[in-house]
């Protein structure tokens, strides 16, 4: 079923949706953030929340009922906490949408609607999950409240995958330089702002800590000057993700400070890949995460090669009871 038809179907059953919950774990949770950010920024009436799945399970919001849409997400569709959250949301009467790569997976069992996305084909395919969830959020807003920039969002969805592929095809020299420069770092700090905030978070906790066993810290760069900037010193490693859009001044302020004290700084900037020349300025904020995430995947791969540490290597995950 197409994304717009899913929301049409929900609206036919419940014309008075009051809340939207996004639920997932790890990278899947982070990939829900741009949609949550979009709805918070543009909805006048909807209550919007993003939950890590077991928080949703153990401390379930009282407002989850038949006036709620719950969107759960898991790449393989088997994350136990997210599967349980899907079931719980369904039991409470919510309209449940499961987003996964694997048809027929456990995540879909109790869902009312299923959204499947690609992953293996190319870098753009790896961004389908994030993009399709943002598409759901766009449809929710437009169908329930009306959205004046709806056509610009639809146009953006039609262009973002091509831009990701173009960007990732040109970024290899920069990715190799990052890998060579950071391969021996004891810690790497990652920050961003706006819709890209949890891209920084997921790169930190998943790509660096989980997949490379590198200590990492992450924070919103609006918070940088309220604590974290005290660790800045010459050659301290930072990765700054810069947005094209309304929150760019925060990114720029952080960059100026890092450069001022000669921190070891790598910048991944959406403007360098022409995001604003492809996506309308009214909605460009919401497409930064997909583009930057695609580029960062190349960075992570190059880091894994130079460290001889495959991204699939684990010590604990899937190997122990925990």
């Amino acid at each position: 079923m197409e994304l717009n038809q899913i929301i049409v179907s929900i609206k036919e059953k419940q014309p008075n949706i009051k809340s939207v919950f996004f639920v997932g774990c790890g990278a899947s949770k982070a990939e829900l953030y741009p949609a949550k950010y979009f709805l918070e920024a543009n909805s006048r009436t909807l209550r919007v929340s993003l939950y890590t799945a077991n928080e949703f399970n153990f401390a379930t919001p009282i407002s989850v009922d038949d006036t709620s849409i719950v969107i759960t997400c898991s790449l393989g569709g088997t994350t136990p906490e997210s599967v349980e959250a899907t079931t719980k949301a369904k039991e409470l009467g919510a309209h449940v949408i499961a987003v996964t790569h694997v048809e027929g997976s456990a995540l879909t069992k109790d869902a009312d609607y299923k959204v499947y996305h690609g992953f293996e084909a190319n870098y753009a395919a790896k961004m389908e999950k994030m993009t399709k969830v943002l598409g759901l959020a766009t449809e929710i807003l437009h169908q329930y409240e009306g959205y004046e920039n709806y056509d610009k969002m639809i146009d953006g969805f039609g262009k973002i995958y091509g831009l990701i592929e173009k960007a990732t095809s040109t970024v290899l020299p920069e990715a190799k330089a990052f890998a060579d420069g950071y391969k021996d770092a004891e810690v790497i700090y990652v920050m961003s702002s706006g819709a890209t905030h949890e891209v920084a978070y997921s790169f930190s906790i998943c790509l660096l800590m989980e997949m490379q066993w590198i200590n990492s810290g992450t924070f919103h760069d609006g918070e940088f000057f309220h604590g974290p900037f005290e660790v800045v010193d010459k050659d301290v490693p930072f990765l700054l993700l810069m947005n094209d859009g309304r929150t760019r001044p925060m990114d720029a302020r952080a960059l100026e400070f890092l450069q001022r004290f000669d921190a070891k700084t790598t910048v991944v900037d959406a403007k360098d890949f022409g995001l604003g020349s492809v996506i309308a300025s009214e909605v460009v904020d919401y497409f930064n995460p997909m583009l930057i995430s695609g580029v960062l995947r190349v960075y992570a791969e190059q880091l894994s090669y130079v460290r001889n540490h495959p991204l699939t290597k684990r010590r604990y995950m899937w190997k122990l009871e925990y």
Side-chain angles (χ1 to χ4, degrees):
M1 186 180 291
E2 296 293 329
L3 302 183
N4 65 323
Q5 288 302 309
I6 290 174
I7 307 307
V8 166
S9 178
I10 293 174
K11 191 174 182 182
E12 288 174 351
K13 299 172 186 175
Q14 176 53 274
N16 186 32
I17 290 294
K18 296 180 180 179
S19 56
V20 180
F21 296 91
F22 297 95
V23 183
C25 298
S28 287
K29 170 185 169 290
E31 288 174 311
L32 295 166
Y33 183 79
K36 182 252 192 185
Y37 183 88
F38 167 82
L39 275 182
E40 279 189 330
N42 293 287
S43 175
R44 298 182 183 276
T45 62
L46 292 170
R47 174 180 179 176
V48 186
S49 303
L50 174 64
Y51 277 82
T52 190
N54 257 353
E55 182 80 16
F56 184 87
N57 295 331
F58 292 133
T60 311
I62 196 170
S63 58
V64 179
D65 58 19
D66 67 343
T67 65
S68 305
I69 295 173
V70 176
I71 299 173
T72 61
C73 190
S74 168
L75 176 61
T78 59
T79 306
E81 300 93 329
S82 300
V83 172
E84 182 181 343
T86 302
T87 300
K88 182 175 286 289
K90 179 62 176 174
E91 289 172 347
L92 293 171
H95 307 270
V96 186
I97 306 170
V99 183
T100 181
H101 177 50
V102 181
E103 294 190 25
S105 58
L107 189 78
T108 67
K109 180 172 66 72
D110 289 324
D112 299 298
Y113 306 93
K114 293 89 173 174
V115 174
Y116 297 109
H117 60 84
F119 190 76
E120 290 91 355
N122 51 34
Y123 293 104
K126 289 174 171 51
M127 300 302 114
E128 283 186 21
K129 185 199 308 181
M130 189 187 300
T131 307
K132 288 192 173 187
V133 175
L134 179 61
L136 286 169
T138 303
E139 291 297 335
I140 291 169
L141 179 66
H142 186 59
Q143 293 191 38
Y144 278 93
E145 296 185 28
Y147 179 45
E148 64 180 352
N149 292 317
Y150 177 78
D151 290 341
K152 292 182 174 66
M153 288 292 290
I154 297 302
D155 184 67
F157 290 130
K159 294 176 177 177
I160 190 61
Y161 293 126
L163 185 60
I164 291 167
E165 282 302 290
K166 181 179 178 182
T168 53
S169 71
T170 63
V171 78
L172 190 58
E174 292 84 356
K176 287 183 174 180
F178 168 79
D180 289 339
Y182 286 68
K183 66 181 186 297
D184 298 318
E186 294 185 2
V187 62
I188 300 173
Y189 298 107
V190 191
M191 60 177 165
S192 191
S193 66
T196 311
H197 168 47
E198 288 213 3
V199 172
Y201 168 76
S202 63
F203 191 83
S204 177
I205 74 161
C206 295
L207 276 301
L208 294 178
M209 298 177 77
E210 174 191 336
M211 300 183 191
Q212 288 297 291
W213 307 348
I214 295 174
N215 291 320
S216 183
T218 181
F219 33 83
H220 193 291
D221 59 31
E223 291 291 285
F224 181 54
F225 296 97
H226 304 279
F229 75 144
E230 284 293 337
V231 305
V232 173
D233 205 346
K234 182 176 174 58
D235 295 329
V236 174
F238 282 83
L239 174 61
L240 175 63
L241 314 178
M242 294 192 69
N243 294 274
D244 188 347
R246 294 175 296 177
T247 66
R248 187 176 180 86
M250 287 191 284
D251 306 331
R253 183 187 179 201
L255 177 60
E256 189 279 330
F257 192 88
L258 293 170
Q259 292 175 333
R260 179 174 162 191
F261 291 95
D262 293 323
K264 186 174 186 174
T265 306
T266 291
V267 175
V268 176
D269 189 345
K271 276 186 174 289
D272 288 342
F273 305 103
L275 184 66
S277 65
V278 173
I279 308 294
S281 60
E282 294 88 346
V283 300
V284 71
D285 295 65
Y286 313 117
F287 290 90
N288 285 282
M290 298 82 167
L291 176 60
I292 291 175
S293 291
V295 170
L296 284 179
R297 187 76 185 190
V298 184
Y299 278 57
E301 289 170 351
Q302 292 304 311
L303 185 62
S304 75
Y305 300 153
V306 75
R307 298 182 73 245
N308 194 28
H309 187 124
L311 295 176
T312 54
K313 189 176 181 179
R314 303 289 187 278
R315 284 187 291 189
Y316 309 127
M317 188 174 284
W318 308 310
K319 295 184 176 183
L320 301 176
E321 293 292 330
Y322 50 86

